[in-house]
Amino acid sequence: EEEEKGNIVWNSQNDLNHAELVDCIGLSDVTIPSIPRVKELYLFKCEQLTDVSNLTHLEQLHILISSRLEDLTPLSNIPKVGFYAVREASDFSMFNCNKQSYLRIYDCQKLSSLENFRMIKKLELSNCPNITDVSCLYGVYDLTLHVLPRVKDISGLGGHHRIYLHLAGENVTGYECL
């Protein structure tokens, strides 16, 4: 039924080895097959996805809505990565070096530590309710912090080329640092 709407339901029978960019909805398999020519991949509604080991070569990856994916380690060398509602992932520490030029994390309930994100050039964090301290993000070139209700003090921030703040918490202090 989703194929009728122009979306791909990806399973092991699809031959996508010729593609360089794949934008798909739904995964019927838990493992993505080898797709060596694909450079950009957008996955939506991949509830059963648990293994991303065949995605290490990508230049850009966005995963939207995944309730079972926990191990993000194979994705650590992808320059542009976005996670939206990746509910079981809690360890994002592998995204810690200059290899990631862009990291977007939206609606990740278990994310709490940001210590390793300082070297990422463009960082966007939104609706991550366990984040309390953002001071370690001092100097991130392009920083977006959106709906982080437990952040109460931003005095440790500064040194940004661009910053967007919409923290949604009352009584946030430390704006003078900007």
Side-chain angles (χ1 to χ4, degrees), residues 2-178:
E2 288 177 328
E3 287 183 8
E4 293 173 10
K5 297 176 188 175
N7 299 315
I8 297 171
V9 176
W10 194 349
N11 59 41
S12 58
Q13 284 75 40
N14 294 122
D15 180 15
L16 298 175
N17 288 330
H18 64 282
E20 289 187 19
L21 184 141
V22 176
D23 186 355
C24 69
I25 273 190
L27 281 176
S28 60
D29 286 346
V30 175
T31 303
I32 296 175
S34 178
I35 47 172
R37 292 194 48 179
V38 173
K39 303 281 189 251
E40 297 178 27
L41 181 60
Y42 297 82
L43 298 173
F44 182 69
K45 286 176 47 176
C46 43
E47 294 290 337
Q48 301 303 312
L49 181 65
T50 58
D51 181 4
V52 291
S53 60
N54 283 332
L55 305 180
T56 60
H57 67 286
L58 294 173
E59 293 174 11
Q60 186 168 324
L61 172 67
H62 294 273
I63 298 177
L64 292 83
I65 307 175
S66 176
S67 59
R68 296 188 59 201
L69 181 61
E70 292 181 42
D71 183 13
L72 305 175
T73 308
L75 309 176
S76 65
N77 291 322
I78 298 174
K80 295 180 181 179
V81 184
F83 300 104
Y84 312 81
V86 179
R87 293 183 180 97
E88 288 304 311
S90 60
D91 181 9
F92 291 83
S93 63
M94 70 287 307
F95 300 104
N96 61 6
C97 61
N98 290 324
K99 293 177 183 170
Q100 278 80 41
S101 60
Y102 174 78
L103 178 61
R104 175 185 282 176
I105 303 174
Y106 279 25
D107 194 20
C108 290
Q109 305 298 311
K110 294 185 176 186
L111 175 65
S112 59
S113 175
L114 308 176
E115 295 297 322
N116 295 317
F117 294 166
R118 186 170 181 193
M119 298 304 291
I120 295 171
K121 185 172 183 177
K122 182 171 183 168
L123 178 64
E124 296 180 23
L125 301 171
S126 180
N127 196 24
C128 300
N130 286 321
I131 294 174
T132 57
D133 182 14
V134 294
S135 61
C136 58
L137 301 178
Y138 178 90
V140 170
Y141 184 81
D142 187 338
L143 179 63
T144 297
L145 301 176
H146 185 257
V147 189
L148 304 176
R150 293 184 61 201
V151 173
K152 302 298 180 199
D153 181 10
I154 61 165
S155 61
L157 294 179
H160 311 284
H161 175 74
R162 180 192 167 279
I163 188 167
Y164 173 82
L165 298 172
H166 182 226
L167 298 173
E170 292 186 26
N171 303 321
V172 176
T173 62
Y175 284 97
E176 64 278 354
C177 72
L178 305 174

